[in-house]
Amino acid sequence: MSKYIVFDGMDGSGKGTQMKLLEKKFGNSIIFTREPGGTPFAEEIRRVVRDNVLASESTTLNNFLLFLASREELQHNLVAPTLKSGKHVFSDRGDSSTYAFQLCGEEHEELTHLFNLSREHIFLNRQSPDLYIVFDLPAEMSRRRALQDVARKTNHFDVRDLGFYERVRKGFRKFAVHMPVKFVDATRTPEEIHQEVLELLAEEGIGLSG
Ligand code: TYD
């Protein structure tokens, strides 16, 4: 059976490097995508919610709804049909980010009900993620790495205070109470992290032959 795996985690956790290593390893035997974005329409939404500074001047609820819109589009036009065709999907971020960033990081836990309801609708008659692999990093390290990353394209998500990163980290832990999450210690070398990711994928039956 095809699997839907979400890769998520703290800013500066090296998630991008890990996704590149996985793409190199698995090539097009697996469909790689991302949130927000992943289809032409969802990439339009990404430009609004991630790249446009106007989004930072709006409300958390508004951004939350845009992330949901991108997710529904991605599920409809890419994830569901791909899984149905028998291929695995690896996604760079997913609903775990909405939970950790909007509900916990931005302290809008009153959106929990809406978040749960959105999951029910978005994954109605569709496959929800089989596994979330979360790259975990202490808050100070996450903030420092994000700031040091000069190559990073500036977006309005980048500069936050330490408390925000602490809340995001706790948010992933809270998400994991009810969801199939495995945490990976992202303070180690990229190669060590990559090996652990491959082991977790092997446990899901995903290897070069599977
Ligand atoms: P991106 O530059 O792609 O970050 P990264 O390379 O770290 O994945 O920007 C995605 C940003 O969007 C990231 O800061 C997390 C944020 N985000 C949310 O706040 N909520 C969400 O639901 C999603 C999917 C992402």
Side-chain angles (χ1 to χ4, degrees), residues 7-13 15-16 34-37 46 49-51 63-64 66-68 70-71 92-102 106 115 152-158 160 164:
F7 297 83
D8 212 324
M10 305 288 289
D11 286 330
S13 64
K15 176 172 58 60
R34 66 177 180 181
E35 282 197 34
R46 179 184 176 90
V49 72
R50 178 193 176 275
D51 302 340
N63 288 331
F64 170 91
L66 288 167
F67 285 118
L68 294 192
S70 168
R71 183 163 308 131
D92 186 339
R93 297 201 187 274
D95 59 340
S96 34
S97 273
T98 308
Y99 189 88
F101 287 86
Q102 277 66 51
E106 295 178 15
F115 176 80
R152 204 179 158 81
K153 186 173 171 268
T154 309
N155 65 57
H156 65 83
F157 290 106
D158 279 349
R160 309 277 197 159
F164 176 81

Side-chain angles (χ1 to χ4, degrees), residues 102-160:
Q102 277 66 51
L103 275 63
C104 302
E106 295 178 15
E107 298 181 284
H108 281 276
E109 296 201 36
E110 79 281 1
L111 294 176
T112 304
H113 180 60
L114 209 51
F115 176 80
N116 290 336
L117 211 59
S118 77
R119 278 195 114 249
E120 268 176 45
H121 284 273
I122 289 176
F123 296 121
L124 185 71
N125 299 324
R126 292 180 187 149
Q127 191 172 327
S128 59
D130 295 283
L131 176 67
Y132 296 84
I133 294 181
V134 173
F135 299 102
D136 183 45
L137 207 60
E140 314 79 61
M141 220 184 241
S142 172
R143 184 165 190 271
R144 205 175 337 117
R145 284 202 194 166
L147 288 173
Q148 276 168 0
D149 189 358
V150 284
R152 204 179 158 81
K153 186 173 171 268
T154 309
N155 65 57
H156 65 83
F157 290 106
D158 279 349
V159 191
R160 309 277 197 159

Side-chain angles (χ1 to χ4, degrees), residues 19-92:
M19 296 311 291
K20 281 197 196 100
L21 290 171
L22 290 171
E23 283 199 61
K24 210 166 137 198
K25 178 146 189 96
F26 291 103
N28 49 22
S29 65
I30 282 173
I31 299 301
F32 287 81
T33 190
R34 66 177 180 181
E35 282 197 34
T39 70
F41 184 32
E43 288 293 322
E44 289 292 329
I45 301 171
R46 179 184 176 90
R47 273 188 276 283
V48 174
V49 72
R50 178 193 176 275
D51 302 340
N52 195 323
V53 74
L54 292 175
S56 65
E57 292 160 16
S58 189
T59 63
T60 295
L61 174 59
N62 231 346
N63 288 331
F64 170 91
L65 294 171
L66 288 167
F67 285 118
L68 294 192
S70 168
R71 183 163 308 131
E72 166 65 7
E73 156 65 17
L74 181 70
Q75 294 301 318
H76 177 65
N77 273 321
L78 190 136
V79 180
T82 304
L83 293 170
K84 224 169 159 187
S85 79
K87 273 195 162 187
H88 301 307
V89 174
F90 284 3
S91 179
D92 186 339

